[in-house]
Amino acid sequence: MTTTLRDAVALTERPSRPSPVSTTLTFGWRALLKIKHVPEQLFDVLVSPIIFTLMFTYLFGGALAGSTQAYIQFLLPGILVQTILFVTIYTGYTLNTDISKGVFDRFRSLPIWRPSPVVGALLGDTVRYTIASVITISLGLILGFRPDGGILGVLLGVLLLLVFAFALSWTFIILGLLVRSPNAVMGISMMVLMPLTFASNVFVDPVTMPSGLRAFVGVNPVSHLVTAVRGLMAGSPDAAEIVWVLIASVILTAVLGPIAMRIYRTRT
């Protein structure tokens, strides 16, 4: 055994450096393994969409739309957007948890593509988004949701939502790098997302809102996202809103991604 170890140390050729793709996929797999070994992480992903969908459908469906059957057609795309946006918070939360344990200091010392741990974590969290989407849509179908856009419309709506969620996650990555504790990341993130999701067109048509609130809802990015997803699922896609969401996603990633990586490299 001593001879084998001496031979291994005496090698003159170094192993080839892993590619950015392989290291990113490795860290994405790490994120999935964390879910496997700590399934409690999926509790909010599994329970939150069920609670929100059932609560708003049966509390407000009859009052707002005349019946729960009619209201679920309007509500479900909005609840889907709200659920996925809330799940993006966990990207920053888990990153901050790794930092507080010293894990990311080890990653920064490795001879790998620097963004790999962050981008890999984002790819792994996409599984969370997908699980939450499947649960929300499945429950909606049970409650009577019937998308006129068919399977293709639903898939395109979810895909558009996942693209925006990936871009938005950079915001919470920056927060996770700057804030001292995971609980602080969660608290600040909720303070940001709660007004954006509830003061939007997720639950009601803004036509009946006061003029000031209606103006805010009109420029709220969540409203644009909901309108785009709702149109795709209803079989009447709004091209302008879809383009708006895609452009916003590109801008968020192009601006926040480099900022997040700079903070990641210089953080002490």
Side-chain angles (χ1 to χ4, degrees):
M1 182 174 179
T2 303
T3 304
T4 304
L5 180 60
R6 186 182 298 113
D7 293 340
V9 174
L11 289 175
T12 57
E13 295 184 4
R14 293 185 178 183
S16 59
R17 186 167 181 167
S19 68
V21 174
S22 65
T23 54
T24 299
L25 293 177
T26 298
F27 282 103
W29 180 244
R30 173 181 179 265
L32 296 182
L33 289 178
K34 289 171 65 178
I35 296 175
K36 174 184 176 181
H37 294 293
V38 189
E40 294 83 6
Q41 295 182 49
L42 289 178
F43 180 78
D44 285 349
V45 175
L46 297 173
V47 175
S48 177
I50 295 175
I51 292 177
F52 274 107
T53 304
L54 291 176
M55 182 174 65
F56 283 99
T57 298
Y58 289 104
L59 280 178
F60 304 118
L64 296 177
S67 68
T68 56
Q69 180 76 20
Y71 187 53
I72 193 65
Q73 311 303 322
F74 177 87
L75 175 69
L76 191 91
I79 284 289
L80 179 63
V81 169
Q82 182 197 50
T83 299
I84 300 304
L85 294 187
F86 281 164
V87 174
T88 59
I89 295 175
Y90 285 92
T91 303
Y93 179 86
T94 54
L95 172 61
N96 191 274
T97 301
D98 281 343
I99 290 174
S100 64
K101 293 180 178 180
V103 176
F104 261 64
D105 289 333
R106 301 177 188 177
F107 292 161
R108 289 194 297 181
S109 67
L110 296 176
I112 59 174
W113 186 51
R114 280 296 181 89
S116 294
V118 176
V119 179
L122 283 173
L123 292 179
D125 284 337
T126 303
V127 176
R128 296 176 187 266
Y129 310 153
T130 304
I131 293 173
S133 299
V134 170
I135 291 173
T136 305
I137 294 172
S138 298
L139 179 59
L141 292 173
I142 293 172
L143 297 179
F145 177 63
R146 297 295 181 266
D148 292 334
I151 296 177
L152 179 61
V154 172
L155 292 178
L156 290 176
V158 171
L159 179 61
L160 183 67
L161 178 54
L162 293 181
V163 169
F164 186 83
F166 181 89
L168 182 65
S169 294
W170 289 105
T171 304
F172 303 113
I173 286 176
I174 293 175
L175 193 60
L177 290 168
L178 295 177
V179 177
R180 293 185 179 182
S181 69
N183 289 337
V185 174
M186 184 68 70
I188 296 172
S189 301
M190 291 298 293
M191 288 179 60
V192 173
L193 280 182
M194 289 288 282
L196 289 176
T197 53
F198 282 94
S200 68
N201 60 351
V202 168
F203 304 104
V204 296
D205 192 320
V207 173
T208 60
M209 297 179 182
S211 57
L213 180 58
R214 188 166 64 248
F216 174 79
V217 171
V219 298
N220 186 345
V222 175
S223 297
H224 290 283
L225 178 60
V226 172
T227 300
V229 174
R230 190 173 278 150
L232 286 169
M233 292 187 175
S236 54
D238 189 325
E241 296 290 3
I242 295 174
V243 171
W244 189 99
V245 172
L246 293 176
I247 292 176
S249 300
V250 171
I251 292 175
L252 283 173
T253 302
V255 174
L256 299 181
I259 293 175
M261 293 314 306
R262 180 176 177 80
I263 297 172
Y264 171 66
R265 287 193 300 266
T266 60
R267 190 181 190 279
T268 58

